[in-house]
Amino acid sequence: MPTNYKNRSNMGDEVQDSTLIQLVYVSSLTLGSRLNTSIFEEVERHARDYNQQHGITGILCYGNGQFLQCIEGEKAHVFALKQRIFADNRHKNVETLLLQTIDHRSFTDWRMRLLFLERWLWSPATKKQAAQLSPYLPFFPHDWAPERTERFLQIIKTFDNPPHIQAAGITYNALGNMFRHIVAPHQAFLIVQGFLSLLLVAGLVLLYL
């Protein structure tokens, strides 16, 4: 049984079903999923029981509408989960970045940690902790080589607390959050701009009367 098998896509019968492996894949949220305000809660809820029952651990990263998920466990269980994930119509452009046997897990929490790679969602403490992630942002992991993927995993597994949103009660919906982020700090500016636009329209109407 090889202990250092590494491949971006396939793992043959030479690796036993009980072998501990690591799978890293990337995908893109569909438009419908981006508009679903509970998409992340649904993913977490559905994964929790399954992961615990099948010894699956790892981390799920999200940014710019892109997913990167690291899944660790016995080959048989990881491959069964892979089949379910790749058939899920809530995301698209699913690609395997890394598939390898491992001696020990990098992530030990079966609840599947969730890491948001959107700076504007982070608290000040999170921004300080996550400064090492700057080379990986904006988050576009589809073209990452295995070596870059492994460096990224090495960084995020050391976090005391995964990067999180800075205000409770805000949904994880990408479009909704972006709107809140842009509008909230600039309300006065938008009001003034709106008022000036109304004056401009009124001036044009009077000009042509």
Side-chain angles (χ1 to χ4, degrees):
M1 178 187 68
T3 58
N4 60 347
Y5 181 95
K6 183 181 296 186
N7 193 296
R8 286 177 69 100
S9 57
N10 299 312
M11 183 174 286
D13 294 336
E14 70 273 17
V15 177
Q16 298 179 9
D17 285 347
S18 60
T19 302
L20 190 63
I21 70 169
Q22 180 187 71
L23 165 70
V24 181
Y25 76 88
V26 291
S27 65
S28 305
L29 272 180
T30 63
L31 178 59
S33 295
R34 292 197 191 200
L35 296 174
N36 180 2
T37 59
S38 60
I39 180 67
F40 296 103
E41 287 90 342
E42 290 176 4
V43 170
E44 185 178 20
R45 183 173 63 252
H46 293 160
R48 186 181 299 119
D49 292 339
Y50 184 93
N51 293 345
Q52 186 177 26
Q53 292 172 11
H54 296 88
I56 298 292
T57 60
I59 191 166
L60 177 63
C61 306
Y62 173 80
N64 286 325
Q66 312 295 311
F67 277 129
L68 180 149
Q69 186 170 21
C70 174
I71 301 170
E72 299 173 333
E74 293 185 2
K75 176 190 169 186
H77 296 315
V78 171
F79 272 39
L81 180 57
K82 174 186 175 184
Q83 186 173 5
R84 291 177 49 175
I85 290 174
F86 280 37
D88 193 329
N89 60 12
R90 290 175 296 183
H91 62 167
K92 59 184 180 178
N93 304 326
V94 187
E95 299 177 10
T96 299
L97 286 186
L98 190 63
L99 180 60
Q100 63 182 343
T101 57
I102 53 177
D103 295 323
H104 58 272
R105 300 172 190 254
S106 295
F107 305 95
T108 58
D109 192 342
W110 56 262
R111 291 174 299 178
M112 190 64 64
R113 291 170 57 194
L114 184 58
L115 173 68
F116 282 93
L117 296 171
E118 302 276 8
R119 284 193 180 98
W120 52 269
L121 285 177
W122 294 351
S123 67
T126 291
K127 289 180 180 179
K128 182 177 180 180
Q129 174 181 283
Q132 302 172 76
L133 289 176
S134 294
Y136 302 92
L137 302 178
F139 190 58
F140 294 109
H142 268 85
D143 297 326
W144 286 5
E147 293 76 16
R148 181 173 176 81
T149 303
E150 288 183 315
R151 288 196 299 270
F152 174 78
L153 295 176
Q154 287 295 319
I155 291 172
I156 62 176
K157 77 176 185 179
T158 64
F159 286 169
D160 295 328
N161 297 294
H164 56 282
I165 56 175
Q166 56 186 323
I170 235 178
T171 69
Y172 292 147
N173 173 261
L175 295 179
N177 277 336
M178 184 172 294
F179 180 77
R180 288 181 175 87
H181 173 71
I182 293 173
V183 171
H186 302 93
Q187 285 181 346
F189 173 78
L190 292 174
I191 291 172
V192 171
Q193 288 295 101
F195 179 70
L196 292 176
S197 297
L198 288 176
L199 289 179
L200 177 61
V201 171
L204 291 173
V205 170
L206 291 175
L207 181 65
Y208 289 98
L209 283 178

